[in-house]
Amino acid sequence: MNHLLKEEFEVNMSDYLIPASKVAHVFEENSLEHTLLVLTTTGYTLIPVLDYDNKYIGMINNASIINHVMGIERILFEQLPEVKVADVVIRDYPVLREGFTFDVLLKQLIDHSFLCVVNDQNEFMGIVTRRVALKRLAKAIHQPVTQ
Ligand code: AMP
């Protein structure tokens, strides 16, 4: 891979990060009802879960919520306000640690449309989306990075 592009991307990584303050998220103490509202109003199907210290816990999506309240013959919607996000959160979703390399980013973006970035204290810094990375790559192909 083009080393200049790789270096440029890694040095300017913060330019590609959607900061935590702009990312729709829920807290592990929130209910599934609140989470479904956030997912529905934002139009996203997967969002990060944080604790009240802004530490990253995992991800939650529509499918995991509906699966959790699935009865034998119907969806038990009445359970949504009772169940907490902590009981449903996907904890083993991959994350990027601050200082991640472009190669790691590209590899992870093959399978995931976006990834959360955390610092050494596991604080949530924001997300990097496949769209932003591909836009940068497309730009570099048309305007190669020079020394
Ligand atoms: P995009 O490439 O902009 O369509 O984003 C890809 C995915 O990243 C979306 O489907 C969302 O799951 C997630 N995403 C992008 N922007 C945000 C945001 N501001 N808050 C939460 N999730 C986001």
Side-chain angles (χ1 to χ4, degrees):
M1 123 147 254
N2 178 331
H3 287 287
L4 288 172
L5 168 62
K6 189 164 137 52
E7 272 166 35
E8 203 265 352
F9 204 102
E10 284 167 9
V11 167
N12 298 312
M13 200 56 82
S14 57
D15 294 350
Y16 308 108
L17 192 80
I18 298 175
S21 59
K22 294 203 173 140
V23 177
H25 62 271
V26 288
F27 295 107
E28 56 179 351
E29 291 299 312
N30 289 149
S31 68
L32 295 191
E33 183 181 49
H34 172 79
T35 307
L36 261 189
L37 279 171
V38 173
L39 287 165
T40 306
T41 51
T42 57
Y44 299 131
T45 54
L46 176 75
I47 51 173
V49 175
L50 311 181
D51 70 12
Y52 285 140
D53 294 323
N54 276 324
K55 304 248 165 120
Y56 171 84
I57 303 290
M59 299 281 224
I60 192 162
N61 62 8
N62 286 314
S64 54
I65 294 174
I66 299 300
N67 267 326
H68 196 86
V69 295
M70 189 74 81
I72 291 170
E73 290 186 339
R74 67 180 190 90
I75 299 168
L76 306 171
F77 285 108
E78 64 275 19
Q79 289 188 356
L80 289 173
E82 318 299 332
V83 183
K84 290 198 166 160
V85 169
D87 296 330
V88 180
V89 56
I90 305 161
R91 291 177 196 271
D92 57 357
Y93 208 88
V95 289
L96 296 169
R97 311 238 154 238
E98 235 180 2
F100 58 89
T101 63
F102 190 57
D103 301 297
V104 167
L105 175 68
L106 273 191
K107 205 172 156 209
Q108 293 288 1
L109 286 179
I110 292 171
D111 291 327
H112 307 286
S113 66
F114 78 101
L115 288 151
C116 292
V117 181
V118 299
N119 67 11
D120 288 346
Q121 285 82 49
N122 208 40
E123 285 160 343
F124 177 60
M125 309 306 290
I127 61 173
V128 179
T129 65
R130 188 185 282 157
R131 179 199 300 267
V132 169
L134 281 179
K135 265 172 94 172
R136 181 66 195 94
L137 267 181
K139 193 175 161 211
I141 288 165
H142 295 295
Q143 294 174 341
V145 182
T146 50
Q147 261 169 339

